[in-house]
Amino acid sequence: MGNMFCGGVRQILQVRSIYPDQRQISDNTDLKNTPLTGKPIAVKDNICTIGFPTTCASAILEGFQSPYNAHVIQKLEDAGAIIAGKTNLDEFGMGSHSTHSIFGPVHNALVTEQGPLSAGGSSGGSAVAIATDQCWAALGTDTGGSVRLPAAYTGIVGFKPSYGLVSRYGVVAYANSMDTVGVLAADSKIVRQVFDQVRGYDASDPTSVHPSTLKRIYETVKSHKVNTKGKPLRIGVPIEYNIEELQPVVRSAWLEVLQLLQSEGHSILSVSLPATKLALSAYYIIAPAEASSNLAKYDGVRFGNQAKEKGVPGNVLFATTRGKGLGDEVRKRILLGAYSLSASAIDNYFIQAQKVRRMVQQDFDRVFAMDHPLNGERSGNPVSEKVDLLLTPTAPSTPPTLASLTSRSSVETYGDDVMTVPASLAGLPALSLPILIGSNHGEQKRTSPVGIQVIAQYGDDDMVLEFAGDLERLMQSDRR
């Protein structure tokens, strides 16, 4: 559980000392009596807060104090929630195992004989804070799976909303077109309560969905719900997610859940999402390209700590600052992104990746029964071949040991995001749910968490959360 909170657990105690008794908050007439009143919520350290430094786990921002709260933080405080502390992460959100941090790697609460396990990334600190009951809920950010992968590795619930439904104002940008504030908690009910509080339009965020557009989305969702009310769900199983690298214990959990749902009367349909095979490659072109632009401001002049060492003669002013202040993984992605945006490479890399992204979105639109509420396109597929939601593994494996990560290549590590990236490219709502059934029986005992991912059409976030709640209750009753 090492290095879960940036700067140590002491930060939590400083906030709790302000409100030593939850009743003191509830009795405060200035605060509304909401489900969040008096609840401690941890916040990933790339979300701006007045009460704590915002470092993004990077030396270049060490000690940085934001002069304002992020929009989501303000909404939580308005509901009476306590910001309990800032959690560790991969530097600027770039990583899949929360190991690229000036505070050191985050350790999973689960420890094997081979050593500590990965907590997933980049929101690993937030996930472990939930898994160890250090807070009631936690905020993370999800660009390519950074909320869902840690949730799967630590055995909790992690939810990435539809892109644009939660404000990014005050969130330090990694890849603007995919960054999404997500919620982590012990169960989907808590996730729903937090999401309901932080969702909504924010004029300060240019990517926030406008109220008139929100109305269109909700009308589309409402119309679809009327047509499906009281009917069994049609659940899609994408054949492209049944990859060779999928661990047997993960495949077994996936099948158990599908069998359980089928026994309850839901229909299980095989669907194909051909562009999924290209999604990971496209993501690791688009995201670094956007990052190279976003992180250009950290030069020690406009933003960031200036290096104390003198620069090498002939180098530009900020070369030493960026070289000393940014970690290896961040520098690597900046270089990749700068190259893919260069005049000689942009057509063969960035433009092609954007075309793949569009293909990924079209694949999802083709299989969902609900039309995409924004693009106005209708698939020609028969209704009988369409589904209400998709069910896939969240990760191809259970959490690896931290020691094993040192011998992995970058490409192997990036492969851990293969299940989560497609939904991020398409901006869809997706949730990782820990699987409880079959944990203590069967041919292969499940000793590590396995997460199952629920994906729905854009804007149908309520469907994802409602289904997750139903599945949680179903699994609990199945274990009795």
Side-chain angles (χ1 to χ4, degrees):
M1 296 184 294
N3 304 308
M4 171 180 35
F5 287 92
C6 299
V9 181
R10 182 176 58 193
Q11 288 191 348
I12 296 183
L13 301 180
Q14 288 176 347
V15 176
R16 284 183 178 167
S17 67
I18 300 174
Y19 300 112
D21 192 325
Q22 183 174 326
R23 289 171 297 181
Q24 185 175 334
I25 300 174
S26 301
D27 293 341
N28 189 335
T29 55
D30 294 333
L31 295 174
K32 296 178 181 178
N33 186 17
T34 74
L36 276 63
T37 302
K39 298 294 196 300
I41 298 180
V43 178
K44 188 176 180 180
D45 197 29
N46 63 345
I47 301 175
C48 289
T49 51
I50 294 176
F52 297 104
T54 301
T55 70
C56 295
S58 177
I60 206 163
L61 283 179
E62 191 170 8
F64 170 71
Q65 194 78 40
S66 173
Y68 63 91
N69 275 330
H71 184 76
V72 288
I73 300 301
Q74 197 58 55
K75 295 198 80 170
L76 291 176
E77 291 187 341
D78 289 346
I82 302 171
I83 303 306
K86 302 296 283 290
T87 59
N88 203 354
L89 68 153
D90 284 298
E91 186 178 4
F92 284 103
M94 300 183 195
S96 301
H97 297 283
S98 299
T99 55
H100 307 294
S101 167
I102 57 169
F103 301 106
V106 178
H107 292 187
N108 199 320
L110 297 170
V111 180
T112 65
E113 294 178 357
Q114 291 75 35
L117 298 175
S118 165
S122 61
S123 307
S126 293
V128 174
I130 296 296
T132 54
D133 295 324
Q134 296 295 303
C135 55
W136 181 72
L139 294 185
T141 57
D142 192 308
T143 306
S146 293
V147 163
R148 289 162 286 159
L149 188 63
Y153 280 0
T154 57
I156 64 170
V157 178
F159 175 57
K160 182 198 86 70
S162 296
Y163 181 80
L165 294 194
V166 178
S167 172
R168 293 192 304 110
Y169 178 72
V171 177
V172 180
Y174 163 23
N176 307 55
S177 70
M178 289 175 280
D179 290 344
T180 308
V181 177
V183 185
L184 301 103
D187 60 58
S188 62
K189 180 181 178 181
I190 297 175
V191 169
R192 178 64 174 267
Q193 290 172 332
V194 176
F195 174 59
D196 284 344
Q197 179 60 35
V198 300
R199 72 197 300 183
Y201 174 66
D202 174 23
S204 301
D205 175 15
T207 62
S208 181
V209 178
H210 193 270
S212 60
T213 307
L214 282 173
K215 184 179 179 182
R216 281 172 52 199
I217 293 172
Y218 295 147
E219 286 175 351
T220 303
V221 171
K222 183 179 178 180
S223 175
H224 177 66
K225 188 173 288 187
V226 168
N227 294 332
T228 58
K229 188 175 181 180
K231 299 178 182 178
L233 291 174
R234 298 172 62 82
I235 300 168
V237 181
I239 58 176
E240 287 79 12
Y241 283 68
N242 188 21
I243 58 176
E244 184 180 346
E245 295 82 1
L246 199 64
Q247 282 187 354
V249 67
V250 177
R251 185 177 285 109
S252 172
W254 189 16
L255 290 172
E256 286 175 9
V257 174
L258 292 172
Q259 290 168 357
L260 180 61
L261 290 168
Q262 192 170 36
S263 70
E264 291 295 309
H266 299 295
S267 301
I268 309 298
L269 289 83
S270 177
V271 298
S272 179
L273 304 170
T276 291
K277 296 177 180 179
L278 305 172
L280 190 66
S281 299
Y283 172 81
Y284 276 104
I285 292 172
I286 296 170
E290 294 186 19
S292 70
S293 175
N294 285 325
L295 271 64
K297 65 174 77 74
Y298 302 108
D299 53 13
V301 178
R302 291 169 292 176
F303 291 93
N305 302 317
Q306 196 169 97
K308 296 178 180 179
E309 297 89 342
K310 290 185 178 180
V312 178
N315 271 4
V316 291
L317 173 66
F318 54 80
T320 302
T321 291
R322 288 168 69 81
K324 296 286 185 181
L326 299 175
D328 291 343
E329 183 64 25
V330 172
R331 294 201 304 270
K332 181 195 302 179
R333 296 198 191 195
I334 289 174
L335 288 172
L336 285 171
Y339 173 74
S340 66
L341 290 176
S342 65
S344 61
I346 189 169
D347 289 337
N348 289 332
Y349 290 92
F350 188 75
I351 300 301
Q352 295 301 320
Q354 292 289 11
K355 291 178 179 179
V356 169
R357 183 178 191 174
R358 180 61 176 154
M359 290 165 58
V360 169
Q361 186 186 67
Q362 289 172 338
D363 278 354
F364 281 119
D365 289 346
R366 180 173 45 80
V367 300
F368 281 127
M370 188 179 100
D371 292 325
H372 195 293
L374 301 185
N375 65 19
E377 296 178 8
R378 293 180 176 273
S379 167
N381 280 24
V383 175
S384 60
E385 296 178 9
K386 297 193 172 198
V387 298
D388 299 305
L389 50 82
L390 299 169
L391 204 66
T392 77
T394 307
S397 69
T398 54
T401 62
L402 289 176
S404 69
L405 297 177
T406 58
S407 60
R408 281 189 179 189
S409 67
S410 295
V411 174
E412 289 174 320
T413 302
Y414 295 164
D416 292 327
D417 300 330
V418 67
M419 305 288 188
T420 54
V421 157
S424 293
L425 288 174
L428 304 182
L431 178 145
S432 179
L433 193 69
I435 298 308
L436 305 175
I437 55 176
S439 296
N440 298 313
H441 60 80
E443 296 179 4
Q444 185 176 5
K445 185 178 179 181
R446 195 175 304 150
T447 56
S448 296
V450 172
I452 291 297
Q453 181 177 218
V454 184
I455 306 172
Q457 177 61 286
Y458 181 84
D460 208 0
D461 299 57
D462 290 340
M463 162 77 83
V464 171
L465 292 167
E466 288 169 10
F467 176 79
D470 291 342
L471 185 52
E472 283 172 331
R473 289 186 287 272
L474 196 56
M475 289 190 292
Q476 289 288 354
S477 62
D478 186 72
R479 296 189 75 189
R480 295 194 186 104

